Amino acid sequence: MAFVFLLDQYHAFTTKVNSILPSSSTTSLSSMGGAKIGFVGCGTIAASIARGIATQTDVPIEAISVSRRSKAKSQALADEFPTLVTVFDDNQEILNCSDVIFICVLPDQTASVLQGLSFDASRHSLVSLVSTAKIPDLISDSGLKAGNVSKMICLPSIARHEGVALHCCPTPDPFLTSLFDACGGVVTLQEESELQASMVTTCIMGPVYGIMRQNRDWVLKNTKLTKEEASKLVIKQYMGAVEQAQRLMEDPDSLDELIDEQTKGGLNEQALGNLDQLGGLAAQDKILDAVVSRIRGESDGSIQQKS
């Protein structure tokens, strides 16, 4: 499962680059004609989830209610899905019109926003997109039952039903699992510590792009290719590698096998060996340790250079 999740994340990144070139009550309501989804906060991730939900076809959706902020993103959703999306200035109106509520605000706003809303314990399910929010705090601030509160982490590629979502749901929610699965896939976790550790795979986008740029710049220095040509070359090479791995991702040993099948004494085997010898692979562990340390509030995520 972890391998499938990791490969889906890498595939989402390469697809993005290439483009440049529930609670039981919610489940029953959905089966009666369509779920009503609300978003308190409408930034990049919220808009991406809303777009993914609006365009999937497996789970019936009756309505999507979104906060006006940010105005550009909420208006774009309303323009794209005029019969499905309604924009509200009052967050309480979103709750009044919805069964599943996604809270998508800044970390320091989460408690006050939730405490200022009136949730219906018999109707509402709350899904937090705030990475640092803790489930016990979400339960306390919303007044909802523990079984109706969960956390979700995903990338903007969910708008295109690519990548895979992480859903920390201590109490199983078949409706939300079906909904997220329809938006590209979901890995369900029961404990926040598991979610925190799995979240590091969503933080590899920056490093991957940085390495790709480094590769491109090296090619530019050592060839007469244009920047456009070098960028396409590097991007296509990465896409080919990820797509090859994706085809084999149901096999949990496939990454090991892909490495083992490199030609003995060949350039790829040697390049990987040099990367390992220079500490490149060990550095990955240190980077991921730092990321999860920040996620858990244990540090600021910085890695101190030894003098």
Side-chain angles (χ1 to χ4, degrees):
M1 182 70 73
F3 173 63
V4 173
F5 173 70
L6 183 60
L7 258 294
D8 271 346
Q9 298 292 48
Y10 269 99
H11 182 257
F13 299 154
T14 54
T15 302
K16 179 180 179 181
V17 171
N18 193 41
S19 68
I20 299 174
L21 311 165
S23 66
S24 59
S25 60
T26 304
T27 304
S28 61
L29 183 145
S30 176
S31 64
M32 290 172 58
K36 299 176 181 179
I37 310 295
F39 289 86
V40 176
C42 190
T44 298
I45 293 297
S48 298
I49 297 170
R51 184 167 283 105
I53 291 174
T55 53
Q56 59 80 36
T57 57
D58 293 341
V59 179
I61 304 297
E62 181 177 333
I64 297 177
S65 302
V66 301
S67 299
R68 188 168 302 280
R69 296 182 64 185
S70 67
K71 186 175 181 179
K73 290 181 173 59
S74 61
Q75 190 60 53
L77 287 170
D79 291 342
E80 187 174 354
F81 309 104
T83 63
L84 190 62
V85 174
T86 303
V87 179
F88 290 94
D89 291 304
D90 185 348
N91 287 334
Q92 186 59 49
E93 287 298 313
I94 295 173
L95 267 67
N96 296 344
C97 296
S98 307
D99 307 301
V100 177
I101 310 298
F102 288 85
I103 181 75
C104 314
V105 298
L106 296 174
D108 60 357
Q109 299 173 341
T110 307
S112 60
V113 169
L114 290 177
Q115 291 169 10
L117 296 171
S118 297
F119 286 86
D120 184 343
S122 65
R123 175 189 182 189
H124 287 139
S125 289
L126 175 66
V127 183
S128 172
L129 273 295
V130 184
S131 61
T132 56
K134 302 293 189 291
I135 288 182
D137 294 331
L138 295 169
I139 294 170
S140 175
D141 292 334
S142 67
L144 292 173
K145 299 175 183 177
N148 285 22
V149 177
S150 60
K151 289 179 63 175
M152 175 190 175
I153 301 295
C154 67
L155 296 174
S157 55
I158 194 172
R160 304 184 300 274
H161 307 160
E162 296 168 354
V164 63
L166 290 169
H167 186 216
C168 184
C169 187
T171 302
D173 189 323
F175 171 75
L176 289 176
T177 297
S178 297
L179 182 63
F180 297 150
D181 200 41
C183 292
V186 61
V187 172
T188 302
L189 306 159
Q190 291 190 320
E191 298 180 6
E192 283 198 80
S193 59
E194 292 182 295
L195 175 66
Q196 292 165 343
S198 298
M199 278 172 61
V200 300
T201 59
T202 69
C203 303
I204 57 177
M205 182 163 53
V208 167
Y209 292 157
I211 292 170
M212 293 172 71
R213 183 179 64 184
Q214 188 83 3
N215 294 167
R216 180 205 64 193
D217 291 348
W218 187 94
V219 170
L220 286 174
K221 292 176 183 177
N222 290 274
T223 71
K224 295 181 180 179
L225 293 179
T226 66
K227 190 173 184 180
E228 179 183 3
E229 291 170 334
S231 295
K232 287 182 178 179
L233 172 63
V234 170
I235 289 168
K236 287 292 187 179
Q237 297 288 30
Y238 272 80
M239 282 189 65
V242 171
E243 287 174 354
Q244 182 181 7
Q246 188 185 36
R247 286 194 293 270
L248 305 172
M249 69 181 180
E250 299 301 333
D251 176 4
D253 296 320
S254 57
L255 281 179
D256 305 282
E257 293 164 0
L258 285 168
I259 291 173
D260 290 341
E261 74 178 20
Q262 301 300 307
T263 302
K264 300 303 178 184
L267 296 176
N268 275 284
E269 183 188 56
Q270 186 177 48
L272 178 60
N274 287 340
L275 179 67
D276 190 19
Q277 186 174 352
L278 290 170
L281 298 181
Q284 289 294 309
D285 284 345
K286 295 178 181 178
I287 292 166
L288 298 181
D289 286 343
V291 170
V292 78
S293 176
R294 179 179 173 182
I295 290 171
R296 290 172 173 165
E298 299 167 349
S299 75
D300 65 359
S302 300
I303 296 178
Q304 301 298 324
Q305 293 280 4
K306 293 183 178 180
S307 56

